[in-house]
């Protein structure tokens, strides 16, 4: 019998040598290196589709789901957060903890939610957010938080969202944000990828060797190479030259 395909949505280290693995339809799994434990329907979040995982500095696992908001893993089970954090029962696309310990939650239509010791604050289009559907969050090394939305990217400065002046050729619908070891910030969009450093943007698309322009996720490996995940396969660059891989490879 062949192994069933399970669409993986996120993998994070648990801080104790194991890892948490989330899926699009089968809930949450924990792998301790010896065995896997499943956290499915009854115990886990009602929405079996999980979009985002984060292990915070205290070692607590946060789970952002597709249908039922946010959950947190405590005392051996997942608890859906209905109190304490007034988070709407919406899709949570990304979770971030910044250098101050503040938590940020990217929702799919209710804007960006900040949870700190001072309480909760919601940022939306009235605060300068380009769009209320937030896709990706980045804690940059200068202490700022970058926010990728369906309508473009902005940077939080105090209590305001300041839109980035990105090139017109870069599509606004943003899927992922990343900062590499050189300090460059990468923006993955529906049609191209942008690299931003020292005030300059460099755009990459299929003409430059990307396997597909609609890049959904970004990763920097230990060698400093950048991986681009698309629905058509993977692309990789280390020295400006792109190599691509498909399922056939």
């Amino acid at each position: 019998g062949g192994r069933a395909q399970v669409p993986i949505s996120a993998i994070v280290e648990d801080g104790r040598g194991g890892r948490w693995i989330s899926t699009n339809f089968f809930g949450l799994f924990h792998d301790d290196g010896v065995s896997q434990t499943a956290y499915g329907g009854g115990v886990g979040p009602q929405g079996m589709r999980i979009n985002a995982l984060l292990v915070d500095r205290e070692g607590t696992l946060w789970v952002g789901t597709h249908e039922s908001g946010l959950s947190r893993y405590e005392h051996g089970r997942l608890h859906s957060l209905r109190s304490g954090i007034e988070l709407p029962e919406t899709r949570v696309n990304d979770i971030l903890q910044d250098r101050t310990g503040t938590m940020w939650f990217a929702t799919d239509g209710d804007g960006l939610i900040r949870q700190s010791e001072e309480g909760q604050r919601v940022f939306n289009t009235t605060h300068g957010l380009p769009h209320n559907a937030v896709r990706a969050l980045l804690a940059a090394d200068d202490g700022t938080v970058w926010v990728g939305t369906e309508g473009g990217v902005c940077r939080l400065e105090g209590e305001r969202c300041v839109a980035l002046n990105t090139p017109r050729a870069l599509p606004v619908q943003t899927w992922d944000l990343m900062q590499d070891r050189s300090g460059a910030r990468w923006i993955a969009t529906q049609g191209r990828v942008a690299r931003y450093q020292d005030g300059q943007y460099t755009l990459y698309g299929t003409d430059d060797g990307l396997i597909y322009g609609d890049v959904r996720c970004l990763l920097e490996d230990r060698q400093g190479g950048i991986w681009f995940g698309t629905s058509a396969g993977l692309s990789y660059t280390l020295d400006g030259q792109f190599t691509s891989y498909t399922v056939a490879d």
Side-chain angles (χ1 to χ4, degrees):
R3 178 179 282 249
Q5 287 192 324
V6 177
I8 304 289
S9 57
I11 303 173
V12 293
E13 303 288 330
D14 66 3
R16 298 186 299 275
R19 59 192 59 85
W20 290 98
I21 303 165
S22 66
T23 69
N24 280 337
F25 299 103
F26 300 96
L28 181 70
F29 297 84
H30 185 261
D31 182 351
D32 63 7
V34 178
S35 61
Q36 286 190 348
T37 307
Y39 297 87
V43 181
Q46 272 60 52
M48 295 294 282
R49 295 182 66 181
I50 295 172
N51 295 329
L53 297 176
L54 175 89
V55 175
D56 67 20
R57 58 177 67 176
E58 281 81 42
T60 300
L61 176 73
W62 298 76
V63 181
T65 74
H66 201 77
E67 288 97 4
S68 49
L70 194 68
S71 293
R72 202 162 55 194
Y73 181 82
E74 293 174 304
H75 311 302
R77 53 180 297 161
L78 277 163
H79 299 273
S80 194
L81 293 179
R82 297 278 183 265
S83 60
I85 297 177
E86 294 301 318
L87 196 70
E89 286 189 42
T90 183
R91 191 158 84 198
V92 176
N93 290 320
D94 203 5
I95 307 169
L96 174 75
Q97 185 175 40
D98 68 21
R99 60 167 67 168
T100 69
T102 297
M103 300 294 298
W104 301 83
F105 307 103
T107 78
D108 205 55
D110 294 290
L112 174 66
I113 298 174
R114 180 183 71 193
Q115 182 75 26
S116 64
E117 290 180 355
E118 286 78 49
Q120 185 172 294
R121 170 78 195 273
V122 178
F123 296 87
N124 53 37
T125 50
T126 62
H127 307 98
L129 206 63
H131 197 288
N132 284 334
V134 182
R135 298 286 186 200
L137 302 172
L138 168 67
D141 60 6
D142 61 3
T144 60
V145 172
W146 287 41
V147 185
T149 77
E150 278 197 16
V153 182
C154 68
R155 189 175 58 236
L156 279 166
E157 296 183 0
E159 301 297 298
R160 294 288 301 170
C161 306
V162 178
L164 296 190
N165 191 20
T166 53
R168 289 185 113 168
L170 185 70
V172 294
Q173 184 160 8
T174 304
W175 294 117
D176 200 11
L177 299 169
M178 184 188 75
Q179 179 171 300
D180 67 23
R181 63 184 64 182
S182 76
R185 286 87 189 251
W186 294 79
I187 303 169
T189 77
Q190 200 171 21
R192 288 174 188 255
V193 172
R195 181 182 185 271
Y196 175 82
Q197 191 164 34
D198 300 325
Q200 300 293 317
Y201 287 94
T202 307
L203 301 188
Y204 301 96
T206 50
D207 293 348
D208 304 289
L210 270 181
I211 192 170
Y212 191 52
D214 189 13
V215 174
R216 297 300 179 104
C217 54
L218 300 162
L219 176 74
E220 181 182 31
D221 65 20
R222 289 176 183 171
Q223 285 74 43
I226 309 295
W227 292 87
F228 308 86
T230 81
S231 59
L234 287 168
S235 288
Y236 174 78
T237 184
L238 181 61
D239 50 11
Q241 298 297 309
F242 284 86
T243 308
S244 293
Y245 307 89
T246 66
V247 175
D249 299 320

